[in-house]
Amino acid sequence: MKLGILGLPNVGKSTLFNSLTKAGAESANYPFCTIDPNVGVVAVPDERLKLLGDMYQSKKVTPAVIEFVDIAGLVKGASKGEGLGNQFLANVRECDALVHVVRCFEDANVVHVDGSIDPVRDIETIDLELIFADLEVLERRLSRVGRSARNDKDAAAELAMLQKLRAHLEDGKKASSFERKNENEETWFAEYNLLTAKPVIFAANVAEDDAADDGAKNPHVQAVRAHAEETGSEVFVVCAQIEEEISELDEEERQMFLEDLGLTESGLDKLIRASYSLLGLMSFLTAGEKETRAWTIKKGTKAPQAAGKIHTDFERGFIRAEVVNYKDLLDCGSLGAAREKGIVRLEGKEYVVQDGDVILFRFNV
């Protein structure tokens, strides 16, 4: 999974990125301090892996990972080359979802590019720049498809859809709300890889005082939540400053620090939960002496396709899957004991994999 972190300058993007990835992206109180796209890979915390790894005495424990891309702050006119953000929009196009960091804290010492705190206005500024960038993509596609439309029925159909989609964006609406009528339109739409079609998670960046109650009394956070509800987005409240501090601590110190602040989980945990929920993801597990590993798949994935995440041969030659829930496996103490108790199931090609399944795939190619 790849998440792009974006927002206006000085909203706490790079501070949050630093805390999530410990990658050391430069952070300073002036716009455009991030002038190269910073990329960091983060392991998804999963206590199931440690427990299974200990049980099997695995030589290697491999978690699922999330890749974060932090780009320069976008400003009004970014799509026309203002600021430095536009040149990095290509990096965001490759992401599965966007993490839009929104400033919800007051601090006279940290300048705001528009002079005041108004998260919904800030969201609309970014959305508009992404819409402009998408319109450029559509114009290029329209030019190409338009040349073929006279003699090609499919091209004519795509041209009609492109014209409707362009009008939709020109009305200030995001591509995610554009209605596709059939499979062909779904296929074309996916090919455009539009920025405003991507799912969005809003990171409401608050001051330390607002972190413990999840921003319940912060009017800026309430405004972001209302906006997210209207657009079908996820929201999580985070204090990037706190996250940066706890990122320097070891696991035990981190838990104590969070408890002292009245927090039950870190910003990374919140973000992972929000991104898995938004994208409809979950993990199944494989376990053994050589390696215990988590594999991220979409909810509703059937056994052969889950096997294909490990290796294409597994999917091609799929015979069956031996499946046991990780809790049941831990309770039994070994796969052999779980088999004796009859709780290891043999599943075929139509089995829909569940979160926390430990699977041994049988295949033949």
Side-chain angles (χ1 to χ4, degrees):
M1 178 163 51
K2 192 172 182 179
L3 303 178
I5 301 179
L6 49 75
L8 292 171
N10 289 356
V11 296
K13 278 186 324 83
S14 292
T15 304
L16 182 63
F17 175 81
N18 288 346
S19 64
L20 295 177
T21 64
K22 300 180 187 174
E26 185 186 355
S27 173
N29 177 25
Y30 56 91
F32 318 126
C33 63
T34 309
I35 56 171
D36 289 308
N38 292 278
V39 179
V41 178
V42 175
V44 175
D46 191 337
E47 63 173 5
R48 302 172 301 187
L49 282 178
K50 184 183 184 311
L51 295 169
L52 287 168
D54 288 347
M55 188 186 88
Y56 276 96
Q57 296 185 315
S58 304
K59 289 174 184 167
K60 189 176 175 189
V61 174
T62 308
V65 296
I66 296 178
E67 188 174 316
F68 290 103
V69 181
D70 175 35
I71 68 165
L74 297 171
V75 292
K76 282 179 187 171
S79 57
K80 302 295 179 193
E82 291 293 322
L84 297 168
N86 184 51
Q87 60 189 289
F88 303 125
L89 286 175
N91 296 75
V92 185
R93 285 198 191 278
E94 304 310 312
C95 293
D96 300 300
L98 306 178
V99 180
H100 186 162
V101 183
V102 189
R103 179 170 169 176
C104 294
F105 65 88
E106 304 275 353
D107 186 341
N109 296 315
V110 181
V111 296
H112 189 292
V113 287
D114 287 330
S116 63
I117 310 303
D118 183 342
V120 174
R121 176 203 61 205
D122 294 351
I123 289 168
E124 288 169 353
T125 297
I126 296 291
D127 283 351
L128 201 55
E129 292 308 317
L130 298 183
I131 285 170
F132 287 146
D134 282 347
L135 280 167
E136 286 184 20
V137 171
L138 290 190
E139 289 301 338
R140 289 195 292 272
R141 184 82 172 206
L142 274 159
S143 174
R144 187 162 63 79
V145 173
R147 290 194 291 271
S148 312
R150 288 182 184 177
N151 308 311
D152 185 325
K153 209 186 292 182
D154 282 346
E158 185 185 356
L159 181 63
M161 189 198 87
L162 278 165
Q163 288 166 339
K164 285 179 193 168
L165 179 52
R166 177 174 62 183
H168 182 85
L169 292 175
E170 285 173 344
D171 279 345
K173 297 171 187 167
K174 294 169 72 174
S176 54
S177 63
F178 180 75
E179 192 178 334
R180 280 85 76 192
K181 292 179 180 174
N182 53 48
E183 269 186 44
N184 281 344
E185 290 196 355
E186 284 286 0
T187 302
W188 294 326
F189 186 84
E191 285 173 4
Y192 309 151
N193 200 13
L194 300 175
L195 293 168
T196 61
K198 295 185 184 299
V200 176
I201 302 162
F202 292 110
N205 188 14
V206 299
E208 186 176 320
D209 293 345
D210 287 322
D213 68 355
D214 213 33
K217 298 183 186 117
N218 184 316
H220 300 313
V221 173
Q222 301 318 312
V224 174
R225 283 189 168 129
H227 181 84
E229 200 170 325
E230 286 174 19
T231 56
S233 303
E234 291 274 340
V235 180
F236 75 102
V237 174
V238 64
C239 174
Q241 208 62 51
I242 290 174
E243 295 300 319
E244 191 165 48
E245 287 175 36
I246 66 172
S247 69
E248 304 301 323
L249 305 174
D250 63 33
E251 188 57 42
E252 195 176 321
E253 290 175 320
R254 189 177 299 148
Q255 272 320 115
M256 287 170 61
F257 190 78
L258 288 171
E259 283 169 21
D260 287 344
L261 292 168
L263 299 172
T264 55
E265 58 183 345
S266 71
L268 178 60
D269 293 333
K270 285 183 181 180
L271 176 52
I272 288 169
R273 191 157 39 78
S275 54
Y276 269 61
S277 168
L278 186 69
L279 296 170
L281 301 175
M282 62 175 207
S283 296
F284 74 91
L285 311 161
T286 53
E289 197 178 309
K290 283 186 180 176
E291 183 181 35
T292 291
R293 182 165 180 167
W295 305 87
T296 302
I297 56 171
K298 283 216 173 261
K299 288 176 182 173
T301 299
K302 292 183 178 178
Q305 287 69 51
K309 288 288 286 184
I310 300 172
H311 198 287
T312 51
D313 284 352
F314 283 30
E315 181 176 359
R316 193 157 49 91
F318 179 88
I319 300 171
R320 65 178 182 273
E322 292 186 44
V323 183
V324 60
N325 178 270
Y326 85 98
K327 282 182 183 171
D328 294 335
L329 179 56
L330 288 169
D331 288 344
C332 292
S334 71
L335 188 60
R339 283 197 185 109
E340 282 175 23
K341 284 194 175 181
I343 56 174
V344 178
R345 309 183 311 278
L346 289 179
E347 301 287 0
K349 291 183 178 179
E350 293 306 306
Y351 176 68
V352 176
V353 175
Q354 302 299 305
D355 188 48
D357 278 349
V358 181
I359 307 179
L360 178 63
F361 292 105
R362 302 294 184 189
F363 71 102
N364 183 34
V365 287

